[in-house]
Structures are given as structure tokens and as C-alpha cells.
Amino acid sequence: MTVPFLSLKDITDKYSAETHEAAARVIDSGWYLQGKENVLFEADYAGYIGTRYAIGCANGLDALIWILRAYMEMGVMSAGDEVIVPANTYIASILAITENNLVPVLVEPDIATYQIDDTKIEAAITPKTKAVMIVHLYGQCAYTEKIEQVCKKYNLKLIEDNAQAHGCLYKDRKTGSLGDAAGHSFYPGKNLGALGDAGAVTTDDQELADAVRAIANYGSAKKYVFKYRGRNSRLDEIQAAILDIKLKHLDEDNTLRRNVASRYIDGIKNSKIILPVVTDWDNNVFHIFPIRTIRRDDFQKYLLDKGIQTIIHYPIPPHKQECYRKWNNRSFPITERIHNEELSLPMSQTLTDEQVHYVIDMVNGW
């Protein structure tokens, strides 16, 4: 049996008729940017997340860049200010900070949850700290009330990288509505994925929303009038129309992902495998299903030989990347341990019962 890590074709096929109809509608309309499909999706997505505003943009990295850039234009931050961020995040979180000439301050994660360790944030704060960026890594909520309390105590902005956690809950609130602003990625492999690159910013702050929208449109809120030195980062109409369709199925798809995760956790009994810790099933939408083992590379080869595709998230931590080579000698042992041991098993709302059962059997047989 062959089990793909993620079949985008199978996911797209679930909504084939609806997406073809939406694409044809946009094509026939003759209006391809900043039209009614964007207006509709932004309203629906803001309503879903629970914020006053959602602003579509070209991708998730841009969403984070524009949040920080907007805060700089608003006078909240200046070049050289610091943003606390988890050391084990995907590099996009850190790129957004350095792209704005801000300084990332890396904080280790909790080894059990893989989310930023909220007991270590306060010690990392300096007079130049202006924000904490939490990353809902792997689809699990990173927010804690302790983080919010620390941000309020030091008057820091709380920014969410919600690229991997669409639909995830903290109590009765969705990630993307928990901080001052959030960046969202709709890369095709995400739980809410477009058929190409796409992203959004969500916030309750009208000044921030207006600034983000203008910056992503060449710096213009009014045609041919430029308040900012902006960029071109707009969500196109076809992607907006397709995302609005898939948004209606997101909660159902996340439930299917949780069902797969539940079967993995109940069925995998191999003592060499460290499974995710789940204390609240609403708290995780399982963008991926991360396991750990000290023999990760051997295990990955074994699964591939059995026809099971896996991916490492991520093989090299940000502080060991060449683009941040001035950090290469720094030590983040918890982060490095996770990056050396993590392996993601197949996870999708389209996995069949037979495929899930096969993965469990093969993992237990290693």
C-alpha cells in the first residue's frame, strides 16, 4: 500500500464542482483583482475568526511582514526594536521580523507541546522589546493567559502566526483573534488552502487594518495617492472565491483530521515513538502530526520502504541556517533536539481508514 504524506489532488477533488464553478464565475466576470470575491471572503473570514477585519494579501509571509511594517508606520515600533519569537518556528516568522529591520529574540519551546515556553518569555524582555510573536506550530494553539499577562505588563503587542492553525480554538475563541493582530497563510497544503499562494491579516484594530491594506496595495488607500512606500501584495479574485468555498468546509475537515490523530494516538504503541501531547482536542487542528524518535532518519527510511511518505518539520532550525549565519554558534538545545528528532506522519482529511490502519501497523512494527 502507498500512503502519501498529503494528497492535494484528493483534497481539491472533494470540492471540484464548487471550485470550478467559482473559477468560471470570476473568469467570466472580467474582474480579477480587488473585486467582490475579495470583499465576500474577507467578511466571511473575519466573521469566522472573530475579528472586525480581515485583509487579504499575497501570502502568509507578507501578512506577517505587513503587520510589523504597519506598526512601524504607526510609530509603535522602530528599526532595531526587538520581537520575541519561538526558536523552533518555520523561518517565515523570523524573516518577517528581519525584513523590517527588527531584531528577533529567540525563545526556546516547551519540549512537550513544541510551542513557545511561556515561562521563559519575561526573562527575554529588554527595554527594546515591542512585541511577542507566538506561532501556533503544527496546528496547536500556542496562546496562554500567561503570555497575554506578560504582554499587558510590559505594554507589548501580541502577534499571532496563524499559518498552520486555521480553525483552532482557545476555549471559545479562535486562533487569529487572540492577539492584537495575526498573519494567516493559505498555501495549498494548509488546513485552509488556496490553489496557489494566498494570505491574510486579521485584527480588531482599524488603524492597523487600514495601514496593512494600503501597504499591500503599493502604499495606496486612494488610487494614485500613496501614503506609504508600499508593495504589491494582493489576494486575487479566483483564490478569494475558492477560499470562501473551502472555508465553509473547514470545521468538518478539521474534525476529520482530529479523527485521524485520535486513531494514531490510540493505536501507536511503539515505545520508541514520542506522540503528541493532547490535553484539549479543540486546541489542535493537526496541520501535521509530529512524532519524535532519536532514530528519526532510520525510521523515515523504514516507512518509505513500506510505501509511507513522511516529511521532517523542520530539518534545520532557523539559528543554524546560512542566511542567519551570525547565529550559527548559538545554542538552543531544546529546539535542536526537536529538529533532530521530529518526523511528520501522513495527515489529511482524505486519508482512508485502510491507510490510517496501515500506518499504525507499520509504525508499531518498527
Side-chain angles (χ1 to χ4, degrees):
M1 178 180 288
T2 300
V3 185
F5 177 75
L6 176 70
S7 173
L8 293 178
K9 184 179 186 306
D10 288 348
I11 291 173
T12 303
D13 283 350
K14 285 184 68 176
Y15 316 117
S16 178
E18 293 174 274
T19 54
H20 278 80
E21 180 183 347
R25 182 176 70 245
V26 174
I27 292 167
D28 292 344
S29 75
W31 195 296
Y32 308 127
L33 280 172
Q34 295 185 302
K36 64 180 182 181
E37 302 292 350
N38 262 265
V39 172
L40 180 61
F41 172 67
E42 289 178 349
D44 287 345
Y45 195 62
Y48 177 82
I49 294 296
T51 55
R52 292 176 63 195
Y53 306 101
I55 306 97
C57 61
N59 54 68
L61 173 57
D62 279 3
L64 294 173
I65 291 173
W66 305 147
I67 290 169
L68 294 169
R69 169 72 184 282
Y71 277 133
M72 295 178 78
E73 294 287 358
M74 292 162 59
V76 175
M77 301 178 189
S78 301
D81 284 341
E82 297 171 352
V83 179
I84 291 171
V85 65
N88 65 317
T89 185
Y90 181 58
I91 201 167
S93 314
I94 295 171
L95 288 171
I97 298 168
T98 58
E99 179 71 13
N100 282 290
N101 296 312
L102 299 167
V103 179
V105 175
L106 307 184
V107 170
E108 288 267 57
D110 183 320
I111 190 64
T113 66
Y114 312 131
Q115 309 306 312
I116 192 168
D117 188 335
D118 63 6
T119 68
K120 297 178 179 177
I121 292 174
E122 193 164 9
I125 295 171
T126 76
K128 295 187 75 65
T129 307
K130 293 297 188 292
V132 175
M133 181 184 291
I134 58 174
V135 182
H136 305 298
L137 195 66
Y138 305 155
Q140 182 169 343
C141 181
Y143 171 90
T144 68
E145 292 176 4
K146 182 178 180 64
I147 294 174
E148 182 173 1
Q149 290 164 2
V150 168
C151 288
K152 287 181 177 178
K153 178 179 177 180
Y154 293 93
N155 193 30
L156 307 178
K157 294 297 183 184
L158 178 55
I159 300 168
E160 298 173 76
D161 181 339
N162 198 48
Q164 300 185 2
H166 315 120
C168 185
L169 288 171
Y170 177 82
K171 298 182 179 179
D172 60 345
R173 298 164 61 196
K174 288 192 173 70
T175 55
S177 70
L178 302 171
D180 295 288
H184 307 251
S185 168
F186 305 124
Y187 178 79
K190 305 298 187 184
N191 292 38
L192 179 61
L195 300 186
D197 274 321
V201 171
T202 56
T203 185
D204 286 328
D205 185 334
Q206 182 177 355
E207 183 181 4
L208 179 73
D210 290 345
V212 167
R213 189 179 297 281
I215 290 166
N217 185 39
Y218 296 97
S220 172
K222 181 180 179 182
K223 195 171 182 69
Y224 300 135
V225 178
F226 302 95
K227 183 176 182 180
Y228 310 107
R229 297 178 185 179
R231 298 287 293 275
N232 177 12
S233 178
R234 297 176 297 201
L235 177 62
D236 74 67
E237 287 284 277
I238 288 180
Q239 300 301 344
I242 288 168
L243 286 167
D244 204 46
I245 288 166
K246 297 179 76 173
L247 178 62
K248 296 174 175 60
H249 301 281
L250 178 57
D251 288 343
E252 173 191 346
D253 286 344
N254 283 342
T255 296
L256 293 172
R257 285 174 171 267
R258 290 189 183 102
N259 290 342
V260 173
S262 178
R263 289 187 61 191
Y264 280 160
I265 289 171
D266 290 344
I268 294 174
K269 304 298 183 184
N270 190 323
S271 62
K272 298 180 179 66
I273 303 300
I274 299 172
L275 295 169
V277 175
V278 180
T279 56
D280 182 345
W281 284 93
D282 287 336
N283 217 226
N284 200 326
V285 293
F286 292 98
H287 171 59
I288 65 168
F289 188 89
I291 62 92
R292 290 187 7 252
T293 177
I294 59 174
R295 294 175 53 200
R296 189 262 312 282
D297 294 346
D298 290 342
F299 183 47
Q300 184 177 40
K301 182 180 184 304
Y302 161 84
L303 291 177
L304 185 61
D305 289 344
K306 300 296 184 181
I308 299 170
Q309 184 183 27
T310 59
I311 294 179
I312 299 169
H313 291 91
Y314 301 95
I316 305 172
H319 70 281
K320 296 295 185 181
Q321 297 287 351
E322 184 178 356
C323 63
Y324 292 118
R325 50 188 168 272
K326 65 181 180 180
W327 301 343
N328 286 175
N329 291 327
R330 298 175 67 182
S331 176
F332 294 92
I334 298 173
T335 290
E336 289 160 23
R337 180 180 176 186
I338 293 169
H339 284 257
N340 287 332
E341 297 179 355
E342 193 279 338
L343 188 69
S344 303
L345 298 183
M347 171 53 67
S348 166
Q349 60 267 40
T350 61
L351 285 174
T352 66
D353 288 343
E354 291 75 19
Q355 287 174 321
V356 175
H357 183 74
Y358 180 71
V359 172
I360 292 170
D361 278 353
M362 293 304 102
V363 171
N364 286 335
W366 180 60

